Amino acid sequence: MDGVTFSSLDDELGDGLGVTKRALVEHYDAFADRLVPLLSGRPLTMVRIRPRAAAFVQRDIPKGAPDWVRTVATWSDRTRREVHQVLVEDRRTLLWLANQRAVELHVPFSPVVDGAFAEPTGLVLDLDPPDGGPFSRVVAVARLAREALAAAGLAAAVKTSGSRGLHVVVPVRGSSHEDVAAATRALAARTAALDPSVATTEYVVAERGDRVFVDSTRSGRGTVAVAWSPRARPGLPVSVPVAWDDLDGASPQGVTVADAAGRFPDDPWTASLPAPQVLPVDLVAEGHTIPVARVAAMHEGKRRKKAAEGG
């Protein structure tokens, strides 16, 4: 298929997933025309599965890759070295990744142009429910996010994450990574302020209670699972678009690789995305006064530890 050699297609993809590798290959083949434009030019972070092993995150290109697989060199803060991330520019690269059991496809909002990251093309509010919390709470917070966006003169599209929550995606233009990240922090704070009883920007899980976390950290230089990407959960649920008017009937894992192609013969995600928008100056300025969530949580953790030790 497209010059890709496959192996073990009828074997289980991974322990407990309940699907074969063939199901993943067929899903990527059916959605290649939609997935490739979303992935093209963007360094890929993948989640892979191996038999009898847990899923793992991989940024570097898998060993033994064909020479036609394109890559881009980026710096890994975690490993403190340069890695070569895959660029999915065509169907055969996508199908080759399926054969490598790459079950999740995550990319930044910033494409790479001439070896350097260009300005971001969007931002996302990632709405993450508490353990055991009903999905209806996530829906309620998505509507709060839409209200906060409208007040700022912005529009968004929404999709399931394919895991437990929702992604509220705002196409943007004309801003730096730092300004987009700042605007996302401001939008998250404004969303939570509309109803602090159901929404929070608290990064520390123990401090959230039963509230939905409005995560602002996936914008700027972060990554997000693209629309139509499977997730490494039983049945391989898929991240799919949801019309704002249909949120009440949405299910976070209601579409899988087994039925996605039949349920979405067209491409409502591309159709639902508004045109790229310029971020309001006041929103960006507000965001620059809000600490980065991870950094604030780290400093708070150090402060509490010092206090507990009597420092």
Side-chain angles (χ1 to χ4, degrees):
M1 186 184 295
D2 271 21
V4 179
T5 300
F6 298 97
S7 62
S8 308
L9 284 176
D10 294 318
D11 289 355
E12 187 172 16
L13 186 65
D15 295 348
L17 294 181
V19 297
T20 63
K21 186 196 280 190
R22 185 183 301 277
L24 179 65
V25 170
E26 290 179 347
H27 175 78
Y28 282 172
D29 187 44
F31 284 91
D33 290 344
R34 304 179 212 181
L35 279 167
V36 171
L38 296 174
L39 299 168
S40 179
R42 300 172 194 269
L44 178 68
T45 298
M46 66 193 88
V47 174
R48 293 179 63 202
I49 294 284
R50 288 192 180 123
R52 299 170 298 282
F56 61 98
V57 176
Q58 182 167 349
R59 293 181 65 205
D60 220 341
I61 185 171
K63 293 179 180 179
D67 57 10
W68 43 258
V69 176
R70 291 188 58 197
T71 63
V72 63
T74 61
W75 180 257
S76 170
D77 288 331
R78 185 179 64 84
T79 61
R80 307 303 300 169
R81 66 180 179 87
E82 188 178 75
V83 297
H84 293 84
Q85 292 182 256
V86 172
L87 295 174
V88 181
E89 304 295 344
D90 51 32
R91 180 187 298 266
R92 67 175 178 172
T93 300
L94 191 62
L95 295 178
W96 175 78
L97 287 167
N99 194 55
Q100 299 297 308
R101 289 184 164 89
V103 297
E104 295 189 15
L105 308 171
H106 300 248
V107 293
F109 280 103
S110 298
V112 170
V113 178
D114 296 329
F117 281 102
E119 68 180 31
T121 60
L123 63 81
V124 62
L125 295 175
D126 183 6
L127 309 183
D128 187 19
D131 288 340
F135 190 63
S136 58
R137 289 184 190 169
V138 186
V139 170
V141 176
R143 292 199 170 104
L144 293 177
R146 192 184 192 192
E147 183 180 340
L149 285 162
L154 298 170
V158 63
K159 66 183 182 72
T160 65
S161 68
S163 179
R164 301 190 307 150
L166 290 169
H167 292 155
V168 178
V169 178
V170 183
V172 303
R173 60 181 175 86
S175 293
S176 67
H177 299 90
E178 293 74 19
D179 284 353
V180 170
T184 311
R185 294 194 296 273
L187 287 168
R190 291 183 184 187
T191 297
L194 289 172
D195 192 342
S197 69
V198 296
T200 181
T201 59
E202 178 57 63
Y203 191 77
V204 179
V205 175
E207 302 294 332
R208 298 175 195 168
D210 60 357
R211 296 173 294 176
V212 172
F213 176 43
V214 186
D215 186 359
S216 63
T217 64
R218 300 195 179 278
S219 293
R221 297 187 183 274
T223 65
V224 65
V226 298
W228 317 117
S229 171
R231 305 302 299 270
R233 307 285 189 276
L236 252 60
V238 176
S239 174
V240 297
V242 184
W244 284 105
D245 292 342
D246 295 337
L247 274 177
D248 286 331
S251 172
Q253 299 182 19
V255 179
T256 70
V257 293
D259 61 3
R263 294 178 63 175
F264 291 91
D266 301 315
D267 185 6
W269 181 241
T270 300
S272 67
L273 287 168
Q277 301 148 93
V278 175
L279 292 170
V281 173
D282 67 311
L283 185 73
V284 173
E286 178 184 333
H288 279 296
T289 69
I290 301 173
V292 176
R294 287 192 184 94
V295 176
M298 179 183 67
H299 287 312
E300 178 62 14
K302 290 180 179 179
R303 185 194 67 77
R304 292 186 182 186
K305 182 180 179 180
K306 186 175 181 179
E309 293 171 348

